[in-house]
């Protein structure tokens, strides 16, 4: 099986628990187990080859220009770790099936677990440090989910956050370190990096890279002083603890040190940092573990201690140290996972894991006791158990290690650490299982069913097997350690008896001392209680609180809620950057002649500049400002005509009309004058900045216009192919509907979304608390005496068909002459808008049955379907086709599929404009309508909503959308529609009242 | 001609920037409209100016102005209408709900 597939399998399998959870927890667990099993099988198929010294590789390009490729490899080290991860994963899946209660969401658990498993396998099989980093971060994230699995427990959430913060921060440091490493080596491939030892170690950046990478490894593997997160992560369910915190995740840091051992180790920096930190961690954590009453906390600190041991072994930088480290990884994974599961069993059965409240479980839970004894004695380093073997190797190495030319310091400290380790091991066993049976357990304990103890039992079998017959592990350790050191390792021979060696003496001292200390436990504990102990969690919480306060202060300082300030900052920044770019750059020579200025254009310019300055000067008079803005818009339209842009001119002038209507509708509500409330200082200040911005924009475009294109423009292509490829003469329209049809498609959708947003806002206003305010609203200006003047009414009604025909004309000619869907849509929208303005909303609404939402939807669909049509011709989305046709009595004319697309644009624009303005006018109507008829807006637009809104309307015969006040109630109680003219009259008198 | 267009863009930008720095909604909307004009003309002018050369293919004519900025600006004009109407609607909603048309959260008059 491909290494990539092995890493991918758990990720793929992570879907299964979520899907299968409805069929029961057994199926979920089986699916998860089978996934892991399949991956393990695939892995083990490579075992013979890897044992023979081969490295299995597979790779495919991901982002080659970044150096990020999906490169995987299986070597001895990867094989060992992946086997541990997948193998213990299966045991944990089995154990968790019986551990989790029926209330726990097991589907989530297995999904998280498999995600984590995939990330871990990814780490150990990566042959690219960037890929490794991706998986590294994935383990942080998935372990966050697992630690915080019991979401209802605050400790779980806090522990998860702490773990994520610490490992995440370390991960960031490591990313930097890896980048440096990759840059020194010139490649991100691990194989290449491992071959570049001399280059890397002689580089100036070696120490920074080393420190940053070690930060990542130490935080992940809970090395001092980052060890504090691990005990807090014990709030996780026990299967998680035994998986993440004994066998896998915390070993990721060790894996990394092992993986990069050939390039990073062997220097004094490596020895003094790694070995010292490892030794210190081993000591401190072991000391703390002795005094923990919670079984899991004791095991957690013991784990930290053992991780320190392995770190120490790798830190020595010798081949024998690596062998000891690798061997202890295997041994620790086996006995510690078993111990965690045991603690979980005790917790599960006795409902407590507090050693003070336990004792005597030996008689009540004989099976669990047996498992615990084997695993604990191995942890204590008693001969015939596997922990003894690797601890011997470690002590042997320690016995001839000098620290700063000091021969005895390291051996003594290592012995003390081993002694403390023996002490807490004995205490775990003694306080938990020995002693008399008690009668005050929270719950009467007894052995669990087979499913629950099967996994730890299997692990203890391994403990005994390796402990009694060490040579079975020879080959495994040999292969893995050889991969760590990069080949050339002397054959490994693991044995129980090496003769009377310093290590044996140290071991004996440790075990004997452990027993002595256990005997002296009470006075020791009193001393411990009396001594000051810094609580890492408090320090961590304090740091977090400071960070949060700092972030809050910064945010509050920057984000004051004053938009004017943000905009000022924005303008200032743009100006500064612009100035910086201008002052630092050079300008090419002026290459274009200025076009002559005609009289008309000069007049236009004067109008535009005057109107613009007046807008700024008189903006407080809002109506005047609106009229002035209109002038600017009109001059710009004319300017477009003059400067060869007829399409733009038509668009601009139509948009100008709808914008004016929009602004007037808005101004209906808003105050008509703006009070002067800024100080003179701010006004002058703003003026300076505005003028600077104006000068900047003006000179930039002037400089641009006076020079030719720096690069050949792609317009040439469009001009040359507009007719040949798309059959259109109007290049602007062809670009819109054909060359850049995708953009236009998106723009129509955006416009539709904007209209729907307005509709939603209107609904919220009409149905929320704003509704009452609107009803109570009184206009602050005089209303026109005649709301619907007859002249305008007649004129618009006569104009309507003409305008529609004109719209169709503009639409049809669009492909070859100025026009097209956008412009035609605006024209038709204006024609309809005029009816609303002249005859009133209700009159118009009652006479047309188009829902603008649907129009938008139909428009987008039409454009989309036209685009999809190209697929049936085997062309990409939105490829257009065209042909020429001849009908009798008519000239030859052209039909292009782009027309279907343009129809979509047309419908979308009509719908959006009318829906947007309709929303505003509904607000105006609400404000004008009498209070009791607050449902009128819905009635007018959605006939079917009427029947729901008011039961008295159910019998209304025609389903015409009319408000209630248009109905007359007959004497027999039935409702009857009034005459249309009368309705309008009624409505007008109603409005006239206000 | 270029000088006229450039100075007009400059004036419109200046007016737009000045107006968006006001504290009430309406001037800010006006300011955005002015900025929209300025930006649209700016984009259009980046295709260089040309008189009597509309990009509509005709027999015997082979110089046309740059059509791409025109196509870009055409959709920009329509989209800016959509944007303006959303902003106006938001402003109206805020005005109706809050009773004033300040753009600042706390109604702070001075910065």
């Amino acid at each position: 099986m491909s290494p990539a597939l092995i890493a991918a399998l758990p990720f793929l399998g992570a879907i299964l628990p979520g899907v299968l959870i409805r069929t029961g927890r057994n199926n979920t667990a089986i699916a998860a187990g089978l996934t892991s099993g399949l991956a393990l099988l695939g892995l083990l198929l490579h075992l013979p080859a890897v044992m023979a010294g081969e490295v299995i590789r597979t790779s495919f390009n991901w982002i080659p220009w970044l150096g990020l490729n999906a490169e995987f490899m299986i070597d001895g080290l990867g094989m060992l770790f992946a086997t541990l991860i997948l193998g213990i994963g299966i045991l944990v899946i089995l154990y968790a099936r019986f551990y989790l209660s029926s209330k726990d969401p097991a589907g989530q658990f297995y999904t998280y677990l498999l995600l984590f498993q995939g990330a871990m396998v990814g780490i150990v099989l990566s042959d690219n440090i960037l890929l490794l980093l991706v998986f590294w971060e994935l383990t942080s994230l998935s372990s966050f989910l697992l630690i915080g699995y019991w979401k209802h427990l605050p400790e779980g959430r806090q522990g998860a956050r702490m773990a994520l913060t610490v490992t995440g921060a370390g991960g960031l440091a490591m990313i930097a370190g890896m980048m440096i490493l990759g840059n020194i080596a010139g490649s991100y491939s691990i194989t290449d990096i491992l071959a570049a030892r001399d280059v890397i170690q002689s580089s100036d950046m070696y120490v920074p890279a080393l420190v940053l990478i070690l930060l990542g490894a130490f935080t992940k593997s809970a090395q001092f002083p980052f060890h504090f997160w691990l005990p807090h992560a014990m709030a996780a369910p026990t299967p998680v603890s035994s998986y993440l915190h004994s066998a896998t995740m915390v070993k990721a840091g060790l894996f990394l040190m092992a993986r990069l051992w050939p390039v990073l180790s062997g220097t004094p920096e490596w020895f003094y940092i790694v070995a010292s930190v490892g030794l210190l961690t081993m000591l401190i954590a072991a000391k703390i573990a002795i005094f923990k009453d919670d079984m899991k906390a004791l095991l957690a600190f013991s784990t930290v201690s053992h991780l320190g041991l392995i770190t120490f072994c790798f830190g020595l930088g010798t081949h024998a140290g690596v062998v000891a480290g690798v061997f202890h990884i295997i041994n620790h994974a086996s006995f510690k996972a078993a111990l965690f599961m045991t603690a979980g069993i005790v917790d599960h059965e006795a409902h407590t894991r507090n050693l003070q409240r336990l004792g005597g479980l030996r008689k009540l839970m004989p099976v669990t006791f047996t498992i615990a004894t084997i695993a604990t004695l191995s942890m204590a380093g008693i001969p015939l158990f596997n922990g003894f073997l690797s601890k011997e190797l470690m002590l042997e190495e320690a016995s001839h290690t000098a620290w700063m030319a000091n021969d005895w310091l390291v051996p003594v400290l290592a012995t003390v650490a081993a002694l403390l380790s023996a002490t807490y091991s004995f205490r775990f066993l003694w306080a938990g299982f020995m002693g008399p049976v008690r009668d005050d357990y929270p719950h009467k304990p007894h052995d669990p069913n087979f499913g629950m103890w099967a996994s730890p039992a299997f692990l203890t079998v391994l403990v005994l097997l390796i402990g009694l017959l060490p040579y079975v592990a020879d080959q495994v350790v040999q292969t893995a350690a050889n991969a760590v050191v990069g080949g050339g390792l002397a054959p490994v021979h693991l044995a129980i008896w090496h003769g009377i060696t310093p290590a044996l003496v140290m071991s004996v001292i440790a075990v004997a001392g452990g027993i002595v200390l256990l005997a002296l436990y009470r006075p020791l504990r009193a001393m411990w209680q009396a001594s000051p102990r810094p609580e890492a969690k408090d320090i961590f919480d304090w740091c977090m609180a400071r960070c949060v306060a700092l972030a809050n202060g910064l945010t509050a300082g920057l984000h004051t809620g004053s938009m004017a300030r943000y905009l000022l900052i924005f303008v200032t920044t743009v100006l500064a950057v612009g100035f910086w770019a201008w002052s630092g750059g050079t300008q090419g020579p002026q290459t274009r002649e200025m076009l002559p200025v005609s009289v008309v254009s000069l007049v236009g310019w004067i109008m535009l500049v005057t109107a613009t300055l007046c807008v700024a000067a008189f903006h407080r008079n809002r109506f005047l400002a609106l009229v002035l803005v209109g002038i600017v818009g009109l001059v710009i339209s004319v300017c477009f005509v003059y400067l060869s842009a007829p399409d733009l001119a038509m668009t601009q002038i139509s948009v100008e009309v709808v914008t004016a209507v929009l602004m007037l509708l808005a101004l209906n509500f808003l105050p008509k004058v703006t009070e002067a409330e800024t100080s003179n200082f701010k006004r002058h200040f703003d003026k300076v900045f505005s003028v600077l911005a104006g000068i900047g924009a003006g000179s930039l475009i002037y400089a641009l216009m006076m020079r030719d294109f720096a690069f050949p423009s792609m317009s040439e292509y469009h001009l040359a192919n507009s007719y040949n490829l798309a059959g259109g003469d109007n290049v602007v329209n062809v670009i819109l509907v054909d060359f850049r049809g995708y953009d236009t498609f998106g723009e129509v959708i955006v416009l539709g979304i904007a209209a729907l947003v307005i509709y939603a806002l209107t609904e919220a206003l009409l149905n929320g608390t704003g509704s009452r305010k609107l009803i109570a609203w009184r206009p602050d200006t005089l209303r026109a005496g005649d709301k619907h003047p007859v002249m305008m009414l007649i004129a618009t009604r006569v104009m309507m068909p003409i305008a529609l025909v004109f719209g169709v004309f503009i639409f049809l000619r669009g492909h070859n002459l100025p026009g097209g869907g956008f412009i035609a849509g605006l024209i038709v929208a204006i024609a309809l808008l005029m009816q609303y303005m002249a005859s009133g909303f209700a009159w118009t609404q009652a006479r047309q049955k188009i829902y603008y939402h649907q129009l938008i939807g139909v428009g987008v669909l039409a454009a989309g379907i036209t685009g999809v049509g190209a697929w049936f011709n085997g062309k990409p989305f939105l490829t257009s086709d065209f042909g020429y046709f001849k009908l009798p009595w008519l000239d030859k004319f052209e039909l292009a599929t782009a027309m279907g697309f343009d129809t979509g644009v047309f419908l979308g624009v009509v719908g959006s404009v009318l829906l947007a303005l309709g929303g505003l006018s509904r607000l105006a109507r609400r404000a004008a309508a009498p209070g009791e008829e607050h449902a009128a807006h819905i009635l007018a637009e959605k006939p079917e909503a009427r029947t729901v809104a008011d039961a008295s309307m159910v019998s209304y015969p025609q389903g015409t959308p009319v408000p209630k006040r248009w109905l007359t109630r007959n004497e027999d109680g039935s409702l009857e529609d009034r005459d249309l003219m009368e309705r309008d009259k009624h409505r007008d008198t109603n409005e006239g009242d206000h | 001609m270029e000088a006229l267009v450039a100075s007009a863009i400059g004036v419109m930008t200046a007016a737009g920037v000045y107006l968006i720095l006001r504290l009430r909604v309406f001037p800010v909307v006006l300011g955005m409209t002015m900025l929209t004009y300025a930006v649209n003309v700016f984009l259009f002018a980046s295709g260089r100016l040309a008189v009597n050369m509309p990009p509509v293919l005709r027999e015997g004519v082979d110089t046309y102005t740059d059509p791409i900025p025109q196509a870009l600006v055409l959709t920009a004009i329509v989209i800016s209408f959509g944007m303006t109407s959303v902003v106006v609607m938001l402003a109206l909603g805020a005005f109706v709900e809050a009773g004033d048309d300040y753009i600042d959260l706390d109604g702070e008059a001075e910065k």
Side-chain angles (χ1 to χ4, degrees):
Chain A
M1 195 185 288
S2 156
L5 185 58
I6 297 171
L9 257 180
F11 286 112
L12 297 175
I15 304 164
L16 292 178
V19 176
L20 290 176
I21 187 62
R22 300 222 179 265
T23 67
R25 295 195 292 156
N26 282 336
N27 290 347
T28 315
I30 290 170
L34 282 181
T35 309
S36 306
L38 195 60
L40 185 63
L41 181 72
L43 181 76
L44 291 180
L45 289 179
H46 294 299
L47 187 64
V50 171
M51 291 294 243
E54 277 183 47
V55 178
I56 289 98
R57 295 171 196 279
T58 179
S59 78
F60 40 92
N61 287 347
W62 186 4
I63 316 176
W65 56 271
L66 256 181
L68 173 53
N69 293 322
E71 295 168 311
F72 293 92
M73 68 168 175
I74 308 180
D75 64 348
L77 182 66
M79 174 61 98
L80 169 68
F81 269 90
T83 311
L84 281 178
I85 293 160
L86 293 168
I88 296 187
I90 296 173
L91 297 180
V92 167
I93 287 168
L94 169 67
Y95 176 77
R97 163 64 191 87
F98 296 96
Y99 179 85
L100 293 177
S101 82
S102 53
K103 290 193 202 85
D104 294 322
Q108 280 179 25
F109 181 84
Y110 285 118
T111 296
Y112 296 163
L113 199 76
L114 286 177
L115 286 177
F116 172 78
Q117 192 179 62
M120 278 307 298
V121 174
I123 289 185
V124 299
L125 297 188
S126 292
D127 187 19
N128 182 301
I129 48 176
L130 297 181
L131 186 68
L132 189 149
L133 285 173
V134 172
F135 286 119
W136 186 276
E137 297 300 326
L138 277 177
T139 60
S140 291
L141 291 177
S142 51
S143 71
F144 172 78
L145 293 171
L146 281 170
I147 297 171
Y149 173 71
W150 278 327
K151 301 180 189 71
H152 55 280
L153 295 180
E155 303 84 39
R157 300 196 300 266
Q158 288 162 11
R161 272 206 302 274
M162 189 191 272
L164 185 66
T165 311
V166 176
T167 56
L172 282 180
M174 201 178 87
I175 290 177
M178 291 294 205
M179 294 288 158
I180 298 176
L181 197 66
N183 277 346
I184 301 175
S187 162
Y188 291 113
S189 152
I190 290 177
T191 311
D192 293 348
I193 290 175
L194 292 188
R197 175 191 160 106
D198 294 336
V199 183
I200 289 170
Q201 296 205 348
S202 60
S203 163
D204 290 340
M205 297 303 281
Y206 165 71
V207 176
L210 176 71
V211 170
L212 288 168
I213 292 174
L214 286 180
L215 270 177
F218 287 170
T219 47
K220 200 78 159 185
S221 285
Q223 294 301 294
F224 181 83
F226 309 111
H227 61 286
F228 57 89
W229 68 264
L230 186 57
H232 288 287
M234 290 297 145
T238 304
V240 175
S241 307
S242 66
Y243 193 36
L244 271 64
H245 306 133
S246 69
T248 55
M249 188 175 89
V250 290
K251 299 244 167 80
L254 302 178
F255 168 80
L256 196 75
M257 286 188 253
R259 178 52 95 205
L260 297 176
W261 194 88
V263 279
L264 296 180
S265 75
T267 60
E269 291 92 345
W270 170 271
F271 171 75
Y272 282 109
I273 299 176
V274 180
S276 314
V277 166
L279 192 59
L280 208 58
T281 310
M282 183 159 59
L283 260 175
I284 294 175
K287 187 196 73 173
I288 301 174
I290 295 175
F291 301 104
K292 288 289 167 187
D293 286 331
D294 182 355
M295 280 176 137
K296 274 178 81 177
L298 188 152
L299 292 176
F301 279 103
S302 127
T303 304
V304 174
S305 174
H306 281 267
L307 294 171
L309 188 157
I310 301 167
T311 306
F312 170 72
C313 290
F314 286 145
L316 295 175
T318 58
H319 282 196
V322 169
V323 170
V326 168
F327 193 29
H328 200 66
I329 286 175
I330 302 172
N331 296 339
H332 179 250
S334 59
F335 68 71
K336 192 52 70 66
L339 279 173
F340 269 117
M341 291 184 192
T342 312
I345 292 173
V346 171
D347 191 19
H348 198 258
E349 299 302 327
H351 291 196
T352 180
R353 23 173 232 257
N354 189 334
L355 289 173
Q356 304 272 21
R357 304 190 58 187
L358 292 168
L361 296 181
R362 177 173 51 104
K363 297 201 177 70
L364 296 170
M365 307 169 76
V367 177
T368 314
F369 169 68
T370 314
I371 294 168
T373 311
I374 295 169
T376 312
L377 293 181
S378 176
M379 177 161 79
I382 305 294
L384 303 186
F385 301 99
N386 61 0
F388 167 76
L389 300 167
S390 43
K391 192 170 276 186
E392 279 276 292
L393 291 179
M394 181 277 286
L395 291 173
E396 177 65 33
E397 278 306 292
S399 69
H400 42 77
T401 299
W403 200 89
M404 293 271 179
N406 186 327
D407 283 338
W408 54 267
L409 186 67
V410 172
V412 167
L413 289 181
T415 313
V416 172
L419 187 157
L420 295 173
S421 176
T423 313
Y424 65 67
S425 302
F426 294 147
R427 171 151 189 266
F428 181 84
L429 207 56
W430 189 264
F433 294 88
M434 298 305 197
V437 175
R438 297 165 66 148
D439 49 12
D440 60 347
Y441 305 112
H443 185 262
K444 180 79 175 161
H446 53 77
D447 269 326
N449 57 20
F450 170 74
M452 205 157 173
W453 61 257
S455 293
F458 176 80
L459 289 167
T460 50
V461 169
L462 284 183
V463 168
L464 280 176
L465 183 69
I466 300 174
L468 293 171
L469 311 166
Y471 56 84
V472 296
D474 274 1
Q475 268 303 307
V476 178
V477 174
Q478 166 83 36
T479 313
N482 198 32
V484 173
V485 301
L489 188 74
V492 173
H493 292 296
L494 303 168
I496 303 175
W497 182 253
H498 295 283
I500 309 279
T501 56
L504 188 67
V505 177
M506 289 153 85
S507 259
V508 171
I509 297 174
V511 173
I515 296 171
V516 173
L517 278 195
L518 188 65
L520 297 173
Y521 185 71
R522 282 180 184 284
L524 276 176
R525 190 176 173 97
M527 273 167 61
W528 161 263
Q529 296 284 10
S531 64
R533 302 186 303 275
E535 180 54 58
K537 184 173 188 301
D538 293 341
I539 301 172
F540 177 82
D541 286 346
W542 183 84
C543 289
M544 284 296 111
R546 300 308 310 154
C547 288
V548 169
L550 185 71
N552 277 341
L554 208 63
T555 313
L558 285 176
H559 210 106
T560 54
S562 165
M563 192 166 112
R565 177 193 281 201
Y566 306 156
L567 288 174
L568 192 65
I569 294 173
F570 173 69
V571 171
T572 320
T573 315
V574 170
L575 278 176
V577 173
F579 183 77
W580 175 73
W582 175 74
S583 59
T586 52
Q587 284 190 49
Q590 187 170 319
T591 51
R592 287 174 75 97
E593 290 297 311
M594 206 186 297
L595 291 176
V597 176
S598 65
V599 180
V600 179
S601 51
L602 190 63
V603 172
W605 181 82
I606 293 171
M607 281 171 69
L608 187 134
V609 171
T610 317
T612 309
L613 292 176
C614 287
V615 173
F618 302 123
H619 72 87
R620 288 208 196 87
N621 185 340
R622 293 179 171 187
F623 269 122
L624 182 59
L626 207 52
V627 174
L628 290 165
V629 166
I631 295 178
V632 177
L634 290 180
V635 175
I636 289 178
S637 313
V638 176
C639 158
F640 283 145
V641 175
Y642 183 74
L643 293 172
S644 321
D647 287 277
L648 286 191
M650 290 164 83
T651 316
Q652 181 74 54
I653 202 158
S654 346
V655 165
E656 215 46 59
V657 174
V658 285
T659 311
V661 175
L662 171 89
M663 301 284 256
L664 283 171
L665 276 170
L667 206 51
N668 183 30
F669 291 98
L670 294 170
K672 304 300 172 285
V673 287
T674 313
E675 305 291 334
E677 44 204 333
T678 43
S679 63
N680 280 335
F681 172 73
K682 176 170 162 55
R683 276 208 296 280
H684 291 310
F685 192 75
D686 291 351
K687 270 178 204 162
V688 172
F689 272 94
S690 319
V691 169
L692 286 176
I695 291 173
S699 16
L700 179 62
I701 191 62
Y702 182 73
L704 196 65
M705 282 190 292
M706 295 314 288
R707 280 158 186 80
D708 278 320
F709 295 108
F711 303 98
S713 162
M714 64 178 179
S715 306
E716 298 306 322
Y717 170 83
H718 290 163
L719 285 167
N721 292 302
S722 173
Y723 186 77
N724 300 336
L725 291 182
D729 287 332
N730 181 1
V731 186
V732 174
N733 182 268
V734 169
I735 291 177
L736 284 178
V737 299
D738 192 317
F739 291 138
R740 314 279 309 164
Y742 230 134
D743 292 359
T744 312
F745 189 45
E747 273 147 5
V748 170
I749 293 173
V750 168
L751 196 64
I753 291 172
L756 291 175
V757 166
I758 292 174
Y759 179 76
L761 283 168
T762 317
E763 284 293 310
L765 270 181
L766 288 174
N767 299 323
T769 51
S771 182
R772 258 175 283 133
K773 291 184 184 165
L774 278 176
I775 291 165
W777 182 83
R778 292 291 168 267
D780 52 356
T781 46
L782 281 177
R783 305 267 99 171
D786 186 357
K787 281 195 85 171
H788 305 299
V790 171
M791 290 279 280
M792 184 174 170
L793 206 138
I794 300 297
T796 50
R797 289 185 196 178
V798 173
M799 283 289 288
M800 175 78 176
I802 304 173
L804 290 181
V805 170
F806 183 65
V808 173
F809 169 67
I810 288 289
F811 174 79
L812 286 178
R813 70 178 221 154
H815 213 46
N816 291 316
L817 288 166
F822 273 113
I823 302 169
L826 287 165
I827 289 172
V828 168
I830 292 171
L832 289 170
L833 212 55
M834 291 300 286
Q835 304 307 312
Y836 284 101
M837 285 164 64
S839 309
F841 188 86
W843 185 89
T844 316
Q845 196 70 34
R847 278 161 187 77
Q848 56 99 355
K849 297 275 164 46
I850 306 164
Y851 299 136
Y852 300 124
H853 315 64
Q854 292 175 4
L855 212 54
I856 297 175
V858 170
V860 171
L861 273 181
I865 289 170
T866 315
V868 169
W871 287 344
F872 296 102
N873 279 335
K875 301 271 177 59
F877 187 62
L878 278 176
T879 312
S880 69
D881 197 6
F882 62 97
Y884 295 91
F885 302 89
K886 178 116 176 69
L887 279 186
W889 308 302
L890 288 175
D891 269 346
K892 187 179 82 163
F893 67 99
E894 179 196 353
L895 276 180
T897 56
M899 234 168 180
F901 183 77
D902 220 10
T903 310
V905 173
F906 168 80
L907 295 176
V909 170
V910 173
S912 304
V913 171
L914 288 174
L915 189 63
L917 291 175
L920 274 166
S921 63
R922 278 165 58 206
L923 286 185
R925 275 168 53 75
R926 166 63 56 80
E932 74 272 14
E933 289 168 74
H934 60 275
H937 66 289
I938 296 178
L939 301 184
E941 287 196 359
K942 293 187 243 165
E944 65 282 3
R946 228 179 80 244
T947 51
V948 184
D950 190 340
S952 72
M953 308 292 283
V954 175
S955 60
Y956 192 66
Q958 288 146 355
T960 312
V962 289
K964 189 179 171 187
R965 69 192 133 100
W966 298 342
L967 304 172
T968 5
R969 191 170 288 272
N970 292 337
E971 282 176 15
D972 60 355
S974 65
L975 290 164
E976 192 185 308
D977 194 2
R978 283 193 204 141
D979 179 52
L980 280 177
M981 288 305 282
E982 195 192 339
R983 259 199 229 154
D984 279 351
K985 212 165 69 195
H986 176 74
R987 172 174 165 71
D988 290 350
T989 46
N990 259 351
E991 287 179 1
D993 293 344
H994 302 293
Chain B
M1 193 66 209
E2 275 83 355
L4 292 190
V5 172
S7 58
I9 291 173
V11 172
M12 287 192 289
T13 310
V17 170
Y18 179 71
L19 287 173
I20 60 165
L21 294 177
R22 300 305 90 204
L23 299 180
R24 299 289 196 126
V25 163
F26 200 76
V28 172
V29 173
L30 287 181
M32 280 171 40
T33 312
M34 294 306 298
L35 274 180
T36 308
Y37 288 145
V39 170
N40 284 346
V41 178
F42 189 106
L43 278 181
F44 168 69
S46 70
R48 312 300 187 266
L49 303 186
V51 179
N52 278 333
M53 286 194 262
V56 178
L57 306 178
R58 280 149 296 166
E59 291 289 334
V61 181
D62 51 4
T63 48
Y64 302 100
T65 187
D66 193 343
I68 292 178
Q70 294 198 15
L72 292 179
V73 171
L74 198 152
T75 47
I77 294 173
V78 180
I79 292 280
S80 66
F81 164 73
M83 182 198 70
T84 312
S85 43
V86 169
V87 171
V88 163
M89 194 65 217
L90 282 173
L92 260 190
F95 178 70
V96 169
E97 296 281 349
D100 67 44
D101 62 344
Y102 283 106
I103 57 163
D104 290 355
L105 276 185
D106 316 317
E108 51 195 324
E110 298 299 332
K111 57 177 191 66

